[in-house]
Amino acid sequence: MKLAQLTSPDLILIDAVFDDRLSAIHALTDKLDLHGKLTNKQEFLEAVLTREEEGPTALGEYLAVPHGKSEAVKAPVFACAFVKEELMWTGLDGDEPVKMIFLLAIPPAEAGSTHMEVLTTLTSLLVEDDFREQLLAASSTQEVMSLFDGNEDSKNYEQSKKEIDVQVEIAKDTSRYAYPAVLGIGVLISVFLFMLL
């Protein structure tokens, strides 16, 4: 699943500033409502806050994923914020610093499948240091969307490119030593043949 399929530039906040996690949840809920993703903002907000009381939603790697399953959600979607300064969020081992907040909005009918797929995609991507650093360094919503739109093909291409670059370097190193050796052997053979004449 590509994350870009479930969000849009209008639902992404860069260099966001929040007083606390509740203000972050309210701001992202407002974004979803403003862009027509909810039929009832208050109903969805209550679902998110109820879920927050049930257990921690900070998952490590500076990531928090508050979420709500509600009939007020038209289709699976998320809004996200990249905060300017670390925000403390409830995690498994107490409060932990968060820099990325993804608010997932899921209709009950897709609570199992889509919800788990998005969570799995998010966590597997954000475990990768390169991806996380690129995301945190993004200076525009377009950059973020471009990263969200990345797929395995582009990763495989980059990996293949790196492997080819390494092979080229090895070939250069080999030729640096092989050429003089072959040339030296050629000269010796020529001298030997010349002496036979």
Side-chain angles (χ1 to χ4, degrees):
M1 169 184 283
K2 290 183 182 180
L3 296 175
Q5 296 169 335
L6 295 177
T7 194
S8 68
D10 296 331
L11 299 175
I12 299 169
L13 294 171
I14 303 282
D15 290 335
V17 177
F18 304 115
D19 293 332
D20 51 34
R21 70 188 174 101
L22 291 180
S23 63
I25 289 170
H26 278 272
L28 291 173
T29 299
D30 286 344
K31 276 275 184 195
L32 291 172
D33 187 50
L34 183 66
H35 294 284
K37 306 301 181 183
L38 307 173
T39 58
N40 185 318
K41 181 175 93 170
Q42 193 57 39
E43 186 182 323
F44 172 70
L45 184 58
E46 285 170 14
V48 175
L49 296 177
T50 298
R51 174 59 187 85
E52 284 292 300
E53 289 172 10
E54 291 171 357
T57 52
L59 305 178
E61 305 293 353
Y62 299 103
L63 170 68
V65 188
H67 50 281
K69 300 166 194 170
S70 169
E71 296 288 354
V73 179
K74 293 180 180 179
V77 65
F78 70 82
C80 61
F82 300 90
V83 297
K84 204 167 189 175
E85 296 176 13
E86 290 178 359
L87 191 64
M88 297 310 288
W89 206 283
T90 308
L92 287 171
D93 300 317
D95 285 354
E96 60 182 68
V98 158
K99 295 180 183 175
M100 299 169 285
I101 305 159
F102 288 74
L103 176 61
L104 306 187
I106 309 288
E110 298 189 51
S113 56
T114 306
H115 179 212
M116 291 313 297
E117 195 172 351
V118 174
L119 273 179
T120 303
T121 302
L122 266 179
T123 51
S124 61
L125 282 172
L126 292 168
V127 162
E128 297 177 25
D129 292 341
D130 287 348
F131 182 82
R132 192 170 63 251
E133 286 166 14
Q134 287 176 338
L135 208 50
L136 288 169
S139 58
S140 70
T141 56
Q142 286 75 21
E143 280 183 63
V144 173
M145 285 299 291
S146 177
L147 288 164
F148 285 166
D149 198 36
N151 56 33
E152 288 305 311
D153 291 341
S154 64
K155 284 184 190 173
N156 291 340
Y157 169 76
E158 287 301 322
Q159 185 61 33
S160 299
K161 188 173 178 301
K162 285 179 186 174
E163 288 172 4
I164 290 169
D165 289 344
V166 167
Q167 290 170 359
V168 168
E169 285 304 313
I170 290 170
K172 283 181 184 174
D173 287 345
T174 304
S175 66
R176 185 181 309 142
Y177 299 109
Y179 179 73
V182 169
L183 187 62
I185 291 169
V187 169
L188 286 174
I189 291 171
S190 299
V191 169
F192 178 72
L193 291 174
F194 180 74
M195 288 174 66
L196 288 175
L197 292 176

